[in-house]
Amino acid sequence: MIKTVYLSFFRLTLITIVVVGLLLPSVSSAQLFCPLDTFKPQKIKSLEVFKRIPVLNEGRIKPLDTYVQNFLLLLSGKRRYGHESALEWFARFLFSPRTTFTDKIFLINHPEILEALKVEPEKGRRYSFRDLEPEYVKLQQLAMASREIEDKNRSAVEREILRVYNNVYLYLRLSGAMMYASPHPDFTINSPSIISQLQLSSGETSFSFYDMIERADLLRQATERLETKRERDWTQDDKILVGLMNALFFWTQYYADCPFGLIPTKEEEDEHWLSPMDIILISFGDPVYHGEIKNLRDMTLAYWNGVQLEFDLAARAFMDSVSKRLSIKEKQSVDKISLELLYNRLNLFIWTKLFYAVGFGLFLFSLMSDKTWLYRAAKIAVLAGFVPHFIALLFRIAIMSRPPVSNLYETFIFVGLITVTLGLLLELVNKNWLGIVVSSTCGLIFLLIAGKFSNDGDTMQMLVAVLNSNFWLSTHVLAITTGYAGCSVAGILGHIYILQALAKPNDKKWLEVTYKNMLGILGFGLTMTFLGTTLGGIWADQSWGRFWGWDPKENGALLIILWSAIIFHARLAEIINPLGVAMGCVWGMIVVMWAWFGVNLLSVGLHSYGFTSGIAYALVAYVVVEFIFLTSSGLILGKKNMKF
Amino acid sequence: MNCREHLRQYRIIGFFTSVKLTTFFLLLLFILTFWGTVAQVHNGLYLAQQRYFHSFFFLVMEFLPFPGGQAVMWGLFFNLVSVALLRLVYKWQNVGIIIIHFGLLLFLISGFITHRFAQESFLTLPEGRASNVSTAYHDWEISVWKETPPKFPLQITREVMAVNTKNFKTGQVVDLNELGFQLTVKEYRRNCNAYVGGAERSKIINASGIHRLKLMPLEKEPQKNTPGGVFDIETAKGENYEILLFGGESKTTIVKIGGVEYNMMLRLARYPLPFTLKLVDFMMEKHPGTDTARSFKSLVAIETKNVWRDKLISMNNPLRYKDYTLYQSSYAIDNMGYEFSTLAVVANVGRILPYISTFVTFGGLVIHFILMAFTAKKDVEPIFVEND
């Protein structure tokens, strides 16, 4: 019934838009991107309640806190905007978008795009919406052209154009999410009789979309008589009424399909969450939806007026209303919001990296001074890094209810943890700094690399159907990544062996200890890589019908196995000596990197995820550095008559 | 000198039982694997597989022979068998190593069986329809059946004779004695374009009016190849017909031989299944608010000996029936909203072997790792293979 009323209402509006569209062009064209707010909001101080609001984004229900960080990261490559936190900036953007039009938030890496958009390059490589707005249509045209090209055939410029356009488009769509709540010139009424007819506040002249849509029935009644009245007989009040209808229709069209999943639908089978404007369009008459829309509107007004209590009360009322009608599955996700907020707040990886760096720093210091407290302090530092590292992984397991190895970011975190564990075990056995060096170096390096991957957005992504299996993720993927960790540690030990040989070639006992540890860890790496690879084969047999298909990722894993097997067999056949084994382990690390993410750069096969072109350069640079290291150390050690 | 030592005195046996040879083969396989991976960027998976992994030898820059995957695997197999027989030290301390290598031997055998005997095909069904025939991905066949007048009660099956075109060569004669004629391959193109017209070859019989085939280079993905061929039909009575069949045709070419009309078609090979399968319902779920699929499921009913049973096939949860396994592969929804599910059908007699070899080899690796960890502090390493 409600729907029918609204449909007929909009049908009438559509007729009026055709009739008077030419008379009132300014209403629909001037507000394309930037409905005017003429004054600045007072803002509120605490966003503690605001950040708890659940949002459905990329298939996952997450706290607004996570969403906004990823949103700002996506746009600007940063988690803060100047002195504002992501949350503060987003609140300003959501409730008063116009105040962000001059914020330099759009990261543009390629100078050719700036040239095409006639924008002056800036040092920070970040530009505001105002900078890009004049050539927005051009950007759109370029992006549409890029979209026509197959992803793998796109040039760097085309990819960047598409990325920038998608970001600006998203920004624009989201900028309208709460527009309905603020007074707007489109709904300015200077006629006291209309204000009284629509039962609006008599002291005001500027109203919001919300005020109007709430009085949609009154407006419809007021305009019904115009259907039979000739246009030339319309009074000034009639024209205002038609203008209001016109604006209402334009708003519902323009601000619809907003990708901001804030309000779950009431249908149990429908898992979609919609933006306030989309809910208004679907069923504003529903009292539950109406209440939630009103809560959000109250939040907007409280934000503008700087009234903390009202803002928090409205936010809580909104969350209470939403949580009452969630499905069991959705409720489980919402229940984890506190956990995720704690995870966000603790920022455990900062501490982890810091402690690993301290551990490594203490090791470097110990090269100059052999005081025992340094050893103890370094061991404590690594352990202190390990604890938050481990806890962070537990958090991720609890939040996502799955093993923490479903994307490249997570594999780096996990491999980092395994390498640190292996290092600590080595230290437990040897008590000679070897494990501390391994733990601190690997932990720090892998977490730094993971940090780069976290810039791609939400690191807790939903899984595609074929990967959506906790059993195989926790067997195949954990095993193969543990294998990567083992071979990486063997590679680090290979480096250490070579450096030891360079520093003290005659200290055979010292070298022997490193050598034996290196062989042991390589054997562990081989065992786990073998297990991971063959379990992957079994998974492939279960899902695709073949154990082995020579897919690049499968081949990558096979390369690690073959390389490790070559080292062991070459050693057995006395083709290589311990130094050769060490050099083989260093090359083995390159093989691991190739298998881990190098094959993804080929853009072929069934395992493609998380590609960024920066990785290709980093990988090439890494190979070059290792090549120089091995060649130069090989030449020096050759002169010292060390056998390979 | 025991028997094993004695045999190793022969240079050829000594060569085959050498661990250096193992290292060499492993290195070759490493190179091939890397090469075959990178080659997939330009050649696609199938062609790279054929050239680097399924071949015995291939030519580098068109003239330099390089051992392919099969040659290297056979090399590794013989080397492994020779070492196991003549060099491996069978002592308790080597139990891990022994198990590992027997597991690997089983891997090589299972790889051979799969390569030689596994058959992959697919079955696409709309909801509510049943079938007991699967279709090959890229193997083609010439199918021939008699045109029969409609009968009552309506016949829903027909007898089809099919000839696989996989090894067709020009001049090859295929006897179809049961039908009373023989087929000679005049030309056969594995990928071609078809053209209508060409008066000089107007005697050619073809339902779509095609008279000319133009050879095209093979596609990276073999599914994209469309073959075609010209064939001579010769009956025992000396009648001659020239027919052209093209894989892209939807019509069947009808030839009247000895008063009987025969339908002929070049189509993707069909494989009869030992059961009938009906698609009851296809279900797909997406992660809310995204286009990312969360799950695909096909509820099917399988009929054996006139009894039907339901089975839900989903990702990672296939239907197994004797040597056959059916997996959820893809789906389609047509303009009318009808849902189609495509199931991959794999028949593999050696399906279980990789599972066994995985656990045997891994078990060996673990045992060896533990044994090595316990003996790590000893100065003398155990001897794994006998040296000369």
Side-chain angles (χ1 to χ4, degrees):
Chain A
M1 178 65 193
I2 293 160
K3 203 169 179 180
T4 322
V5 170
Y6 277 92
L7 275 177
S8 61
F9 171 74
F10 286 118
R11 205 170 296 133
L12 173 68
T13 319
L14 189 63
I15 295 161
T16 55
I17 217 170
V18 174
V19 176
V20 296
L22 289 172
L23 295 173
L24 298 160
S26 59
V27 174
S28 55
S29 59
Q31 313 309 331
L32 196 60
F33 301 138
C34 46
L36 292 170
D37 302 328
T38 50
F39 51 95
K40 279 191 173 182
Q42 303 271 320
K43 293 197 242 176
I44 51 156
K45 282 187 183 145
S46 165
L47 294 166
E48 281 302 305
V49 183
F50 179 61
K51 74 179 184 186
R52 304 184 69 87
I53 292 177
V55 182
L56 179 75
N57 174 249
E58 293 175 348
R60 184 168 86 84
I61 296 170
K62 54 185 89 165
L64 198 67
D65 188 45
T66 305
Y67 175 79
V68 301
Q69 287 191 39
N70 291 324
F71 179 69
L72 193 60
L73 194 67
L74 186 75
L75 263 53
S76 70
K78 290 184 177 174
R79 290 179 194 274
R80 292 185 69 83
Y81 177 71
H83 63 278
E84 281 179 304
S85 70
L87 198 67
E88 286 165 340
W89 178 85
F90 188 82
R92 190 158 58 82
F93 164 68
L94 192 66
F95 299 122
S96 170
R98 189 181 154 76
T99 58
T100 64
F101 286 175
T102 50
D103 292 354
K104 306 276 183 193
I105 46 155
F106 293 104
L107 172 68
I108 301 179
N109 287 313
H110 212 293
E112 278 186 34
I113 297 169
L114 299 172
E115 223 175 310
L117 301 180
K118 298 184 179 67
V119 178
E120 280 298 310
E122 289 190 29
K123 226 178 176 183
R125 289 182 296 145
R126 281 160 186 88
Y127 303 86
S128 69
F129 176 65
R130 279 270 179 268
D131 295 333
L132 306 178
E133 191 190 7
E135 291 294 327
Y136 177 75
V137 176
K138 184 74 176 175
L139 179 65
Q140 194 174 30
Q141 285 171 349
L142 292 169
M144 292 304 124
S146 302
R147 201 169 279 171
E148 297 292 310
I149 304 163
E150 213 181 325
D151 186 35
K152 61 181 177 186
N153 297 330
R154 281 182 201 137
S155 68
V157 177
E158 285 156 348
R159 279 181 196 190
E160 184 68 355
I161 281 174
L162 212 52
R163 189 186 67 80
V164 173
Y165 172 73
N166 287 340
N167 285 348
V168 176
Y169 181 76
L170 183 66
Y171 172 89
L172 280 174
R173 302 302 309 161
L174 250 62
S175 71
M178 303 294 273
M179 287 293 290
Y180 74 93
S182 315
H184 193 274
D186 278 4
F187 305 105
T188 298
I189 307 171
N190 292 315
S191 162
S193 65
I194 294 179
I195 290 175
S196 137
Q197 204 175 351
L198 298 180
Q199 298 171 14
L200 289 160
S201 167
S202 56
E204 304 280 337
T205 54
S206 191
F207 302 94
S208 66
F209 173 86
Y210 177 85
D211 296 329
M212 289 298 127
I213 204 80
E214 257 207 323
R215 289 157 182 83
D217 282 346
L218 292 173
L219 195 59
R220 188 170 54 83
Q221 281 168 22
T223 50
E224 249 171 9
R225 59 190 172 76
L226 296 179
E227 277 184 78
T228 52
K229 195 173 178 183
R230 282 185 301 181
E231 190 193 323
R232 63 179 178 205
D233 299 333
W234 286 0
T235 63
Q236 193 55 36
D237 276 4
D238 292 340
K239 284 180 185 170
I240 292 172
L241 284 170
V242 170
L244 288 172
M245 294 284 278
N246 193 6
L248 274 181
F249 181 72
F250 168 75
W251 275 57
T252 50
Q253 296 300 301
Y254 184 74
Y255 292 114
D257 287 331
C258 175
F260 190 43
L262 207 55
I263 305 176
T265 55
K266 286 176 82 176
E267 281 80 33
E268 278 230 349
E269 284 167 17
D270 187 359
E271 292 181 87
H272 288 85
W273 289 31
L274 300 177
S275 73
M277 275 305 268
D278 288 302
I279 288 289
I280 289 173
L281 199 59
I282 289 171
S283 186
F284 186 57
D286 184 289
V288 176
Y289 286 144
H290 196 141
E292 286 165 9
I293 296 288
K294 187 177 176 302
N295 294 146
L296 291 171
R297 179 250 196 181
D298 292 347
M299 282 171 67
T300 311
L301 297 183
Y303 182 85
W304 272 85
N305 297 327
V307 188
Q308 182 75 52
L309 186 65
E310 270 182 33
F311 183 88
D312 289 349
L313 283 174
R316 281 192 191 283
F318 172 74
M319 283 190 284
D320 285 348
S321 172
V322 165
S323 59
K324 270 181 203 157
R325 53 192 188 82
L326 294 176
S327 66
I328 296 168
K329 213 162 120 192
E330 287 171 329
K331 206 160 172 16
Q332 282 170 350
S333 301
V334 170
D335 287 345
K336 287 178 183 166
I337 279 183
S338 302
L339 202 62
E340 190 167 343
L341 286 171
L342 184 62
Y343 172 79
N344 289 349
R345 181 190 283 183
L346 290 175
N347 219 341
L348 291 164
F349 290 122
I350 293 276
W351 296 105
T352 306
K353 280 185 260 189
L354 185 75
F355 284 122
Y356 290 155
V358 168
F360 189 68
L362 289 168
F363 161 70
L364 291 179
F365 201 58
S366 77
L367 296 175
M368 292 173 277
S369 156
D370 59 349
K371 288 196 172 128
T372 47
W373 70 265
L374 278 173
Y375 175 73
R376 250 183 257 147
K379 207 152 76 173
I380 291 168
V382 172
L383 272 171
F386 174 81
V387 172
H389 196 158
F390 184 65
I391 292 172
L393 270 177
L394 291 182
F395 262 108
R396 295 183 73 90
I397 294 169
I399 293 165
M400 295 302 289
S401 307
R402 66 162 190 239
V405 281
S406 59
N407 54 40
L408 273 181
Y409 170 81
E410 287 190 320
T411 59
F412 275 101
I413 301 284
F414 181 75
V415 170
L417 187 79
I418 298 295
T419 53
V420 174
T421 312
L422 289 174
L424 287 171
L425 288 173
L426 282 179
E427 198 52 52
L428 198 71
V429 175
N430 298 298
K431 298 181 176 63
N432 64 351
W433 283 99
L434 197 61
I436 291 174
V437 177
V438 167
S439 298
S440 54
T441 320
C442 290
L444 191 61
I445 290 174
F446 287 131
L447 287 183
L448 287 173
I449 299 173
K452 292 279 169 204
F453 282 98
S454 71
N455 291 347
D456 292 345
D458 191 1
T459 58
M460 298 189 201
Q461 296 147 341
M462 300 311 282
L463 295 173
V464 292
V466 72
L467 291 179
N468 212 351
S469 157
N470 275 354
F471 174 73
W472 291 112
L473 276 179
S474 49
T475 51
H476 157 61
V477 188
L478 286 190
I480 196 95
T481 42
T482 305
Y484 292 164
C487 294
S488 300
V489 171
I492 294 287
L493 289 171
H495 284 92
I496 294 172
Y497 185 92
I498 294 166
L499 292 171
Q500 282 177 342
L502 285 167
K504 290 182 182 174
N506 297 323
D507 194 342
K508 300 288 177 205
K509 204 178 167 191
W510 198 33
L511 285 169
E512 182 70 11
V513 170
T514 310
Y515 176 62
K516 280 196 167 176
N517 280 301
M518 183 166 59
L519 278 183
I521 295 286
L522 184 66
F524 172 77
L526 170 63
T527 306
M528 293 313 290
T529 311
F530 178 84
L531 178 69
T533 310
T534 47
L535 283 175
I538 292 172
W539 188 4
D541 186 56
Q542 300 279 334
S543 348
W544 299 318
R546 88 290 182 287
F547 183 85
W548 195 258
W550 300 105
D551 174 85
K553 203 71 182 173
E554 294 169 353
N555 292 354
L558 178 63
L559 286 175
I560 301 177
I561 295 171
L562 287 171
W563 188 252
S564 307
I566 288 167
I567 294 174
F568 281 118
H569 285 86
R571 175 181 161 272
L572 194 64
E574 293 170 355
I575 301 168
I576 53 171
N577 288 304
L579 184 61
V581 174
M583 290 192 155
C585 286
V586 172
W587 273 117
M589 241 176 125
I590 295 174
V591 179
V592 170
M593 297 303 153
W594 169 256
W596 195 349
F597 51 89
V599 289
N600 296 15
L601 305 177
L602 300 175
S603 297
V604 287
L606 298 156
H607 302 71
S608 54
Y609 47 79
F611 174 81
T612 43
S613 54
I615 304 175
Y617 300 117
L619 192 62
V620 170
Y622 168 68
V623 174
V624 170
V625 169
E626 289 290 25
F627 183 76
I628 294 168
F629 170 72
L630 287 176
T631 316
S632 51
S633 56
L635 285 171
I636 297 166
L637 290 169
K639 278 184 187 168
K640 288 182 181 178
N641 292 326
M642 272 198 89
K643 286 182 184 170
F644 295 97
Chain B
M1 188 182 283
N2 63 25
C3 173
R4 289 178 12 141
E5 282 171 20
H6 182 73
L7 280 168
R8 289 204 305 270
Q9 296 302 310
Y10 294 100
R11 283 184 72 180
I12 182 80
I13 294 175
F15 172 75
F16 267 108
T17 56
S18 145
V19 180
K20 282 188 176 129
L21 186 68
T22 316
T23 315
F24 173 70
F25 279 133
L26 287 172
L27 199 61
L28 272 181
L29 192 57
F30 182 88
I31 294 167
L32 272 177
T33 309
F34 181 74
W35 203 348
T37 309
V38 176
Q40 289 182 26
V41 177
H42 294 296
N43 300 333
L45 175 66
Y46 180 77
L47 291 181
Q49 242 180 31
Q50 297 300 318
R51 180 178 159 90
Y52 296 95
F53 305 123
H54 290 175
S55 66
F56 274 94
F57 281 92
F58 62 91
L59 295 176
V60 183
M61 292 184 286
E62 308 282 327
F63 74 96
L64 200 67
F66 196 90
Q70 279 225 49
V72 175
M73 302 267 194
W74 279 113
L76 273 170
F77 178 78
F78 285 120
N79 176 243
L80 192 50
V81 170
S82 317
V83 172
L85 288 173
L86 301 175
R87 210 179 272 276
L88 198 59
V89 177
Y90 291 91
K91 282 187 179 172
W92 277 111
Q93 59 196 20
N94 287 353
V95 67
I97 287 281
I98 296 164
I99 295 173
I100 292 169
H101 288 86
F102 276 92
L104 291 173
L105 211 54
L106 198 57
F107 249 121
L108 289 168
I109 293 167
S110 71
F112 171 75
I113 291 173
T114 303
H115 177 68
R116 188 77 183 78
F117 301 109
Q119 186 188 62
E120 291 185 9
S121 55
F122 68 92
L123 178 59
T124 299
L125 287 171
E127 281 180 339
R129 292 280 290 273
S131 175
N132 63 354
V133 179
S134 67
T135 307
Y137 284 104
H138 45 78
D139 277 348
W140 292 75
E141 66 181 19
I142 292 177
S143 52
V144 188
W145 68 93
K146 279 183 195 173
E147 183 70 41
T148 47
K151 285 181 191 169
F152 187 80
L154 197 66
Q155 238 183 325
I156 55 163
T157 57
R158 66 180 171 220
E159 206 167 294
V160 177
M161 181 170 274
V163 184
N164 198 304
T165 64
K166 200 172 180 179
N167 300 314
F168 267 11
K169 284 175 191 146
T170 305
Q172 189 175 334
V173 179
V174 182
D175 281 324
L176 298 170
N177 293 334
E178 288 173 40
L179 301 174
F181 60 84
Q182 66 177 29
L183 204 73
T184 308
V185 181
K186 282 190 82 176
E187 62 176 77
Y188 186 73
R189 315 279 189 214
R190 296 194 190 281
N191 188 28
C192 60
N193 281 344
Y195 295 92
V196 177
E200 73 281 4
R201 306 189 75 170
S202 57
K203 282 181 188 170
I204 290 180
I205 304 167
N206 177 270
S208 315
I210 300 168
H211 288 121
R212 195 161 59 88
L213 298 170
K214 188 186 169 194
L215 181 68
M216 299 299 289
L218 289 176
E219 295 282 346
K220 278 186 194 176
E221 294 160 40
Q223 291 94 323
K224 289 185 179 169
N225 290 330
T226 313
V230 180
F231 308 92
D232 261 344
I233 293 174
E234 198 177 337
T235 65
K237 290 177 186 170
E239 290 172 87
N240 260 305
Y241 304 94
E242 194 177 16
I243 63 159
L244 184 149
L245 299 173
F246 177 60
E249 284 180 275
S250 53
K251 290 179 185 172
T252 57
T253 295
I254 299 170
V255 189
K256 200 168 184 181
I257 302 167
V260 183
E261 282 189 346
Y262 289 98
N263 285 276
M264 301 183 99
M265 197 176 193
L266 182 59
R267 65 179 192 182
L268 282 167
R270 305 291 202 269
Y271 304 123
L273 301 171
F275 51 83
T276 303
L277 196 84
K278 181 179 177 183
L279 178 66
V280 180
D281 189 18
F282 173 74
M283 295 154 271
M284 182 185 58
E285 282 176 32
K286 286 183 179 178
H287 288 298
T290 69
D291 284 329
T292 310
R294 181 160 59 194
S295 71
F296 304 107
K297 288 173 194 160
S298 289
L299 179 65
V300 298
I302 179 167
E303 188 234 355
T304 45
K305 294 179 182 168
N306 295 325
V307 181
W308 291 86
R309 67 179 165 98
D310 282 355
K311 159 79 187 169
L312 189 69
I313 299 175
S314 60
M315 301 302 276
N316 305 322
N317 180 24
L319 160 68
R320 301 202 187 275
Y321 184 89
K322 292 180 182 169
D323 293 334
Y324 288 84
T325 314
L326 282 83
Y327 310 85
Q328 185 65 56
S329 171
S330 62
Y331 72 97
I333 301 170
D334 71 6
N335 294 338
M336 303 290 286
Y338 292 115
E339 291 178 324
F340 295 73
S341 179
T342 299
L343 304 169
V345 182
V346 179
N348 184 6
V349 285
R351 195 182 62 79
I352 202 71
L353 286 178
Y355 289 66
I356 300 169
S357 18
T358 290
F359 293 109
V360 170
T361 314
F362 177 66
L365 278 163
V366 172
I367 293 169
H368 181 66
F369 186 75
I370 293 168
L371 285 175
M372 285 298 100
F374 278 117
T375 55
K377 299 239 161 152
K378 286 184 186 170
D379 286 336
V380 186
E381 265 192 71
I383 298 162
F384 303 125
V385 287
E386 291 171 4
N387 286 322
D388 295 324

